[in-house]
Amino acid sequence: RQALRRIAGALASAAPPPYPPSVPCTVLWGAADEVSPPPGQPLSGLRIIENTGHLPHIEAVPTVMEAFRNLQDSATGAS
């Protein structure tokens, strides 16, 4: 428990991470997500997946894999 208290204390006093992130990122969000609806404002790297709910990695595997490949290609400079 003491370790968790130390971690919580460090997080409480830490500066927030930079936004937008300084590394390439992709945020995949199901358009039909009823647990956490998609944000109303644009976010860097946000990709809304149509006909998908809260579990895009299960409901839209080909789309998620394509997004990972695109992110990897952009991070490594591949085309």
Side-chain angles (χ1 to χ4, degrees), residues 4-17:
L4 291 174
R5 286 187 190 106
R6 264 187 283 166
I7 292 169
L11 290 173
S13 63

Side-chain angles (χ1 to χ4, degrees), residues 15-16 23 31 34 50-51:
V23 296
E34 294 180 4
E50 295 300 323
N51 303 313

